[in-house]
Structure formats: C-alpha cells, structure tokens
Amino acid sequence: MIFRAIGLMSGTSLDGLDICFVRFEKQEQWSFQIVIAETIPYPETWEERLRNSIHLSAEELLELNAEYGFYLGKQVHQFIETHQLKNIDLIASHGHTVFHQPQKKFTLQIGDGRAIKLETGLPVIYDFRTQDVLMGGNGAPLVPIGDELLFSTYDACLNLGGFSNISFQSHHRRIAFDIVPVNIVLNKLAEQSGKRFDKNGELAQKGTVNKALLDKLSSIHFYRQPYPKSLGIEWCNENIFNSFKNIETLDLLATFTEHIAEQISQVINENALKNILFTGGGTHNSYLIEKIKAKTKAEIVIPEKQLIDYKEALIFAFMGILRLNQQVNVLSSATGSFKDHSSGIIA
C-alpha cells in the first residue's frame, strides 16, 4: 500500500512554515521517502501576529484562526503548483500553538483545517492534540508514533526545536516527554543581540556561564517530575524568563546553552541510551551538540539536513495517513492519556 501526504509544521520558534511531501509505503513495516520539502519564512507581519496571538481577545483569536487557515492553504496550494505534485491523499496540519495547558484540559493550535481544504480541495486532518488532552493526556509529544514505526533502528529519537523532547522504548512500551526549552529561549536571547538565532552557538561561546543562575535553573521542579510531561510558552514565562534579570545577554546564552546540555545528557545517561537520532533546528547549533557530546558516552547520530529540518512535518503527514485509516496515531504511554487512540479532525 502506497500513500502520499503533505505535512505542515509551524514550531514555537516561528522560523517559518515547514511543508513536506512524503511517499509512504506499508509492507511488513512502514517506510518513507521525502519527495520534496521546504520552509516558507513568515513575512514579518505574520510572525508578529502569531507571536502576539497569546494576548488576543476571543473574537480576535477566532478571526486569526480562520485567516491563518487560509494563509496555510494558499502556501500549500502554491507548493503543489510549483512542484507539480499529483495523487496527494491528504494534508496533515499541526497548526500554530497559542495555548497549551493540558492540566486545565485545553490546548489550542490555530489554522482552521477547513480553510486549508477550501484553498486546496484536498482532505485535511488537523487539531491532533485536543482529543488527547480531553482524554487526560498532555497532548504531547505526538511524534513518538512515528519514532516507533519509522525510526525503530535507533535507541531513541530526540528533537531540538522550540522545546526538546525525546522518545524511546522502555519495558516494551514507547515513552516520551519534553526535556527542556531550547530555541524558544535561545532565539529570544539572540534577538536581544540583534540576531534571529545563535548560529552555531557563536554568541553563547562569547559569554560566561553564570553558576548561580545555572544552579537555579537546574533546581526547577519540572526536571524532577515523572513523565509523561510537556512544556509550553506559559511555563517559560513563569519559570525561565523571570530568572533572567540583571545578567548580560551573552552570559545568559552561555548559561542556558549549558543548562540545555546538562538536562539532555542527564536524560540520556539515566536511561542508558546507546544511540540517539537528533533532529530539529537546534541540531544545527554545533556548539550545543559539542556540549551534549562532552557529557555523555552515547552515540549522537546527526542525519542529513533534510531529515533534521523536516522530521516533525514528515511525522505529522504520517499521523494523517494513520488517522485516515482509523489506526492509532497517539500513544498513551507517551502522552499520559487513558488509552492509545486515533486523533485529528478530518475536513
């Protein structure tokens, strides 16, 4: 059986819209081929609107939800036309996260899938997280189903995006959880130095680690909580950014990069993981990768650039295929919901 799907991903770091067209084949096991993928940078107006969406009124947020859905649809339509893509079974859209508070039973990813369908004429699957949150789960991480069925040759898969999350097999079940904020903090600090992001950790290397701040960050309760667990921007505002007062930006970058490396290597070492596939934008930060490697004996596998940049969009395309076939695409062992389930609204 062969399926073709487009996955859309917009991360919390707001570096653009990832569009990934993938061919999947199911024989005894699933296999995939990324046919074409690209990142569409957000125009400044859209980046600003999405960044500030957390402050909108209910009416303004509903308006943005529809507008952003049409924006996504137009981008996908253009992508299909440009690359002359045919025989597309569906579009699977993650949407852009505005709120994520699973403990209060809600999460919100805007970008109405019905608007995407109106622009493209193709079936669209969207809102993958809400059902899991209503079922008592964290609504995250969702990619472990793809890690299990597409990347099982690795001990673990670790994503370095706005947040870092990991998934691996433990006692015959796939567990997953968020580890630590990454680009959502590093990018904000880099912007204070006039850069969009800290390329290769060059800014962090110029700073000095603030030991008192590092100890304070390490003592945050979240890191000692049992999994499953997930992070959101609200958590960062409350627990991270409030600690950054009266410290130079370069020192903050140096300290937080050290903090990320400490938390990630600790998880790798505690779970005796041997080889870990690293993907996500933070994988391009060579200084951060060096820091992690120095703190663990595990093999850190860095794949080709296409997989680093588009693994999440690829897996959302895969989740859409599973949903269309009414197969499990969310693992309760990863999210904490009361059972495995097939999630996503079909437009």
Side-chain angles (χ1 to χ4, degrees):
M1 288 166 56
I2 293 172
F3 300 95
R4 296 171 181 86
I6 291 175
L8 306 182
M9 181 69 200
S10 172
T12 45
S13 49
L14 280 172
D15 47 4
L17 173 67
D18 293 340
I19 308 182
C20 187
F21 178 53
V22 195
R23 179 186 183 276
F24 296 99
E25 186 168 357
K26 175 71 185 295
Q27 293 180 346
E28 283 185 22
Q29 291 184 315
W30 283 98
S31 62
F32 70 90
Q33 176 198 359
I34 297 177
V35 180
I36 190 82
E38 63 180 275
T39 299
I40 313 293
Y42 285 121
E44 197 172 317
T45 51
W46 266 110
E47 184 179 334
E48 198 65 26
R49 291 183 76 186
L50 293 173
R51 192 179 304 283
N52 293 323
S53 57
I54 196 168
H55 305 301
L56 297 179
S57 69
E59 290 92 339
E60 291 167 333
L61 196 53
L62 286 168
E63 182 182 2
L64 184 63
N65 180 47
E67 279 189 47
Y68 184 54
F70 283 113
Y71 172 83
L72 293 176
K74 285 181 171 66
Q75 299 309 311
V76 179
H77 181 75
Q78 184 62 54
F79 178 80
I80 292 168
E81 291 285 305
T82 300
H83 301 292
Q84 299 181 316
L85 305 179
K86 308 285 185 193
N87 304 318
I88 303 165
D89 292 296
L90 61 88
I91 298 164
S93 177
H94 172 270
H96 186 79
T97 299
V98 179
F99 299 112
H100 184 67
Q101 297 187 39
Q103 69 280 5
K104 295 181 182 176
K105 290 285 192 288
F106 72 84
T107 184
L108 178 65
Q109 287 72 43
I110 59 170
D112 197 317
R114 294 164 295 189
I116 301 173
K117 181 183 185 299
L118 288 168
E119 287 288 341
T120 61
L122 291 166
V124 176
I125 301 177
Y126 66 109
D127 192 5
F128 287 93
R129 298 191 188 274
T130 298
Q131 179 172 292
D132 188 75
V133 167
L134 292 172
M135 293 170 65
N138 278 275
L142 296 185
V143 295
I145 187 69
D147 294 344
E148 181 164 286
L149 298 178
L150 300 176
F151 298 98
S152 60
T153 54
Y154 301 98
D155 266 9
C157 294
L158 191 143
N159 177 60
L160 289 174
F163 300 94
S164 174
N165 51 61
I166 192 168
S167 89
F168 54 91
Q169 289 292 119
S170 177
H171 303 294
H172 308 293
R173 64 189 188 122
R174 172 72 53 168
I175 63 166
F177 52 92
D178 284 352
I179 300 174
V180 63
V182 182
N183 290 335
I184 198 162
V185 174
L186 297 182
N187 289 1
K188 187 167 183 174
L189 292 172
E191 284 166 12
Q192 293 173 15
S193 297
K195 307 282 187 183
R196 282 180 62 86
F197 60 96
D198 187 8
K199 185 179 180 182
N200 293 325
E202 289 166 6
L203 295 173
Q205 291 178 66
K206 294 175 182 174
T208 303
V209 173
N210 183 307
K211 185 69 167 60
L213 175 59
L214 186 64
D215 290 344
K216 185 177 180 181
L217 292 170
S218 299
S219 70
I220 292 173
H221 176 64
F222 176 84
Y223 302 126
R224 297 188 302 280
Q225 279 178 238
Y227 53 77
K229 55 184 177 176
S230 65
L231 294 164
I233 181 63
E234 303 97 321
W235 183 91
C236 287
N237 290 335
E238 188 179 326
N239 293 275
I240 303 295
F241 297 123
N242 284 343
S243 304
F244 284 178
K245 291 162 185 167
N246 305 317
I247 302 174
E248 292 290 329
T249 301
L250 293 180
D251 294 345
L252 288 174
L253 276 161
T255 305
F256 205 79
T257 300
E258 181 73 21
H259 174 63
I260 293 166
E262 279 189 358
Q263 296 305 318
I264 288 174
S265 59
Q266 191 172 316
V267 167
I268 291 171
N269 295 337
E270 283 176 355
N271 292 283
L273 301 171
K274 300 285 193 302
N275 67 328
I276 303 104
L277 178 70
F278 271 57
T279 55
T283 307
H284 297 302
N285 185 332
S286 53
Y287 180 62
L288 174 59
I289 296 297
E290 283 170 24
K291 286 269 182 189
I292 296 168
K293 284 181 175 178
K295 297 176 190 298
T296 177
K297 292 179 180 173
E299 180 190 2
I300 308 299
V301 181
I302 310 293
E304 70 277 9
K305 186 178 186 301
Q306 193 179 55
L307 192 56
I308 289 175
D309 292 340
Y310 297 107
K311 177 171 171 277
E312 281 198 300
L314 152 77
I315 289 182
F316 275 98
F318 183 56
M319 288 179 67
I321 294 296
L322 294 175
R323 176 73 182 98
L324 198 66
N325 289 279
Q326 299 179 318
Q327 295 176 19
V328 166
N329 65 359
V330 178
L331 299 174
S332 59
S333 59
T335 67
S337 56
F338 63 76
K339 68 172 182 177
D340 294 347
H341 55 103
S342 187
S343 186
I345 296 172
I346 301 174

